[in-house]
Amino acid sequence: MSARMLSADIAIIGGGLGGVAGALAALRRGHRVVLSEEFPWLGGQLTSQAVPPDEHIWVEQFGVTASYRALREGIRRYYRDFYPLTDAARRESRLNPGLGRVSRLCHEPTVAAAVITQLLAPHRSSGRLTVLQPYVPVDAVVVADRVESVTLRHTGTGEELVVEAAMVLDATETGDLLPLTGTEYVVGAESRAQTGEPSAPQVADPTNVQSIAWCFVFDHVEGDHTIDRPDDYEHWLEQAPPFWGGPMLSFTAPNPRTLEPEERTLQVNPPIDGHVDGDPRFDAGDQDLWEFRRIVARENFQPGSYESDIVLANWPQLDYLGGSVIDTPDRAFHLTQAKAQARAYFYWLQTEAPRPDGGYGWPGLRLRGDVAGSDDGFAQAPYIRESRRIAAVTTVVEQDVSVEVRGDAGPALFPDSVGVGMYRIDLHPSTGGDNYIDVECAPFEIPLGALVPVRTRNLIPAAKNIGTTHITNGAYRLHPVEWNVGESAGELASFCLEQSLTPRDVVSDPELVHRFQTRLVEAGVEIHWPEILGY
């Protein structure tokens, strides 16, 4: 039986933050969009991966797109509309539901998923947007360097669909369309000779990527909620990377900036003393694991509403170093192992972790699958930090954005900028055995050339697969930047359709670049920074 056919102006494969932003951009231009996603929730790292946003310190004033700001405010409005907030929390214009230290907006992934559904709802109702879940790409037809169609397979039934579109966005978490379409790409670590980057290794290694982590959501209530002892628990007790300073199943982990091992703490349901407003220039916020990514703080809600705070575990001890999940026949094994490591850590917390009172373990810790959108308490999907990356017209290297190399903490500029972002170059320990790589970074722009493949004519990267290196991906991979990349990719696809152009045509013509940038600014995309300094 032949596969069912669908057609659209723009096919967006991957429904993470970049895919959602790209869809919204194309839809507001009146184009027909097919959007596919592997997991039950759209939103990627913010929802199915369960990680609240990692953002820069100016996020409430500038440095994100208008549509990303609408997403953030939509999340706050959802809490005000439907949750029993205290009067003080309801009046707080910059409501932080979880009062976590990692972000000015720590919240439940369920709420982000609901708000994304709201943003897309009118377009689905109009028929201009078709959402396909749960589907993954398995094949593509390419003729004369143009992607003619992408074949998607339902992860449950095996049913296949063929999607034809004039423009195709790869918004998958690991750049899955790149090998399927024959688009040139890089994966893993480039060598120093290739990029000139001071933090690059001497020898390139395509298997050396940032660790993934399988996050989980939990709280603490009365009773014994201890999960079954994992069969492989002894294996995980023995894991102790040479640079870690102790076993993985501990509160020990390296400080990303000094690389010295440090002891973290876990204070269960601690009282909140005053306003929580972490500043990553001076405090990474990760000293206490409970407070770091707390996504519900009881103090924000009417008394009796919550028995416990709710916490998202995305901690160094969950970083899986056993192998890459990209371009390997062992992908399924490594995914299984990453979740097994997280499960063993949770069991260790319940049974063996040293408590401040001198005891061991918190049996009252309880997995919250209802909050994570899963049956087992863990996130629907692994947290992916690094993707395949296109061989691009422009590749951002460390020298472009490093404060130490540039000798300047002012914004890193590109004449063809299509957005802005800011985060330290933050590489977690890797599958190649590297410790953290943490580099002071300037506020940066996103060059249009990083969204344009060197050869494929109608494919645009829309997530973490743009023209960065293993090193600079560490700064360009976070939530607001991925959203900006996706939004600009959707706008670029729309611009090309309307003008009968290719992305390569646009980036090669300064006048077209200027016209496209004007279009972005009118749509609420900031393409330049005000005068600020990096950290």
Side-chain angles (χ1 to χ4, degrees):
M1 185 174 67
S2 60
R4 185 158 61 98
M5 304 287 294
L6 293 175
S7 64
D9 300 318
I10 301 171
I12 303 178
I13 311 304
L17 285 175
V20 170
L24 288 169
L27 290 162
R28 72 187 175 214
R29 299 294 180 181
H31 296 294
R32 294 176 300 113
V33 174
V34 168
L35 173 65
S36 70
E37 168 56 23
E38 178 178 0
F39 296 100
W41 286 345
L42 297 172
Q45 56 182 318
L46 192 65
T47 58
S48 61
Q49 299 172 34
V51 179
D54 292 280
E55 299 170 332
H56 55 72
I57 62 172
W58 309 288
V59 66
E60 304 290 359
Q61 292 83 35
F62 49 79
V64 296
T65 76
S67 65
Y68 183 79
R69 194 170 303 284
L71 172 68
R72 297 177 86 253
E73 289 310 308
I75 290 168
R76 286 173 168 152
R77 185 169 58 251
Y78 195 95
Y79 277 97
R80 294 190 184 102
D81 287 348
F82 300 111
Y83 279 67
L85 295 170
T86 64
D87 291 341
R90 192 174 301 280
R91 289 193 302 268
E92 176 57 62
S93 61
R94 297 180 179 177
L95 172 65
N96 187 348
L99 294 176
R101 294 189 175 277
V102 72
S103 171
R104 269 91 170 144
L105 184 60
C106 288
H107 56 82
E108 299 157 275
T110 44
V111 173
V115 173
I116 287 171
T117 297
Q118 292 175 333
L119 292 172
L120 293 173
H123 306 291
R124 298 179 80 163
S125 178
S126 72
R128 287 199 307 273
L129 172 64
T130 300
V131 178
L132 302 173
Q133 291 172 283
Y135 281 87
V136 294
V138 294
D139 198 6
V141 173
V142 180
V143 177
D145 297 336
R146 294 187 65 89
V147 181
E148 299 289 331
S149 67
V150 177
T151 301
L152 304 172
R153 179 177 295 155
H154 191 284
T155 60
T157 67
E159 175 203 17
E160 291 191 352
L161 298 175
V162 176
V163 180
E164 296 178 335
M167 299 296 299
V168 177
L169 271 57
D170 183 350
T172 61
E173 294 297 322
T174 50
D176 297 341
L177 282 190
L178 304 184
L180 292 177
T181 59
T183 299
E184 291 83 358
Y185 68 91
V186 179
V187 65
E190 300 93 340
S191 70
R192 190 172 304 174
Q194 289 174 305
T195 66
E197 296 171 306
S199 298
Q202 292 294 340
V203 179
D205 183 356
T207 69
N208 187 16
V209 300
Q210 284 198 69
S211 53
I212 67 172
W214 212 302
C215 303
F216 55 86
V217 179
F218 69 99
D219 61 8
H220 182 274
V221 294
E222 290 298 319
D224 187 346
H225 302 279
T226 306
I227 63 174
D228 293 339
R229 179 185 173 95
D231 293 339
D232 57 357
Y233 186 60
E234 293 296 329
H235 165 77
W236 296 109
L237 282 173
E238 296 169 356
Q239 300 306 302
F243 55 81
W244 203 260
M248 292 290 282
L249 301 194
S250 71
F251 287 139
T252 303
N255 180 304
R257 301 186 189 183
T258 68
L259 303 185
E260 293 297 318
E262 290 183 348
E263 287 295 312
R264 272 48 171 201
T265 59
L266 184 72
Q267 303 179 73
V268 172
N269 282 316
I272 297 175
D273 183 17
H275 186 63
V276 176
D277 190 17
D279 188 330
R281 292 174 296 182
F282 312 110
D283 175 15
D286 62 348
Q287 186 58 47
D288 184 77
L289 298 178
W290 186 279
E291 295 180 337
F292 184 36
R293 294 183 188 270
R294 179 175 47 206
I295 56 177
V296 168
R298 292 175 300 167
E299 281 81 354
N300 272 331
F301 302 89
Q302 295 289 343
S305 299
Y306 286 88
E307 296 180 82
S308 169
D309 298 339
I310 303 177
V311 175
L312 182 279
N314 176 24
W315 305 330
Q317 295 87 349
L318 305 186
D319 287 357
Y320 173 70
L321 307 178
S324 171
V325 297
I326 302 174
D327 290 347
T328 172
D330 298 326
R331 173 182 170 85
F333 170 78
H334 292 310
L335 290 174
T336 299
Q337 289 294 98
K339 182 178 278 191
Q341 178 176 327
R343 184 180 295 108
Y345 193 77
F346 185 68
Y347 180 79
W348 178 81
L349 288 174
Q350 291 180 308
T351 59
E352 296 191 52
R355 300 195 309 259
D357 64 5
Y360 292 91
W362 288 273
L365 295 179
R366 177 179 62 170
L367 287 170
R368 292 295 304 273
D370 54 328
V371 177
S374 69
D375 294 331
D376 61 4
F378 294 84
Q380 297 171 9
Y383 179 42
I384 301 291
R385 297 186 174 100
E386 187 168 340
S387 171
R388 300 175 182 89
R389 306 177 298 279
I390 64 166
V393 170
T394 301
T395 299
V396 181
V397 295
E398 183 178 0
Q399 302 91 299
D400 292 324
V401 297
S402 164
V403 172
E404 181 176 356
V405 174
R406 298 169 74 242
D408 180 6
L413 309 177
F414 293 93
D416 60 347
S417 173
V418 294
V420 298
M422 173 60 202
Y423 207 74
R424 290 178 70 93
I425 293 176
D426 169 30
L427 277 73
H428 280 237
S430 70
T431 56
D434 295 333
N435 201 341
Y436 283 95
I437 297 175
D438 190 275
V439 177
E440 186 178 5
C441 190
F444 51 78
E445 296 175 350
I446 304 166
L448 174 61
L451 275 64
V452 181
V454 294
R455 184 178 55 83
T456 311
R457 294 167 56 81
N458 66 330
L459 183 141
I460 304 172
K464 295 180 284 290
N465 50 351
I466 63 171
T468 57
T469 65
H470 172 66
I471 300 299
T472 55
N473 165 74
Y476 279 73
R477 66 182 175 84
L478 283 310
H479 302 65
V481 179
E482 182 183 340
W483 182 278
N484 193 153
V485 166
E487 183 169 358
S488 295
E491 286 282 2
L492 179 60
S494 299
F495 185 72
C496 288
L497 283 177
E498 294 159 17
Q499 304 295 323
S500 298
L501 298 167
T502 69
R504 190 63 181 265
D505 294 333
V506 179
V507 77
S508 301
D509 185 333
E511 175 58 29
L512 288 174
V513 170
H514 176 70
R515 284 172 54 193
F516 181 58
Q517 289 175 317
T518 300
R519 176 187 179 106
L520 289 177
V521 171
E522 291 172 349
V525 176
E526 298 180 21
I527 64 172
H528 299 300
W529 284 97
E531 185 61 34
I532 51 176
L533 299 178
Y535 56 84

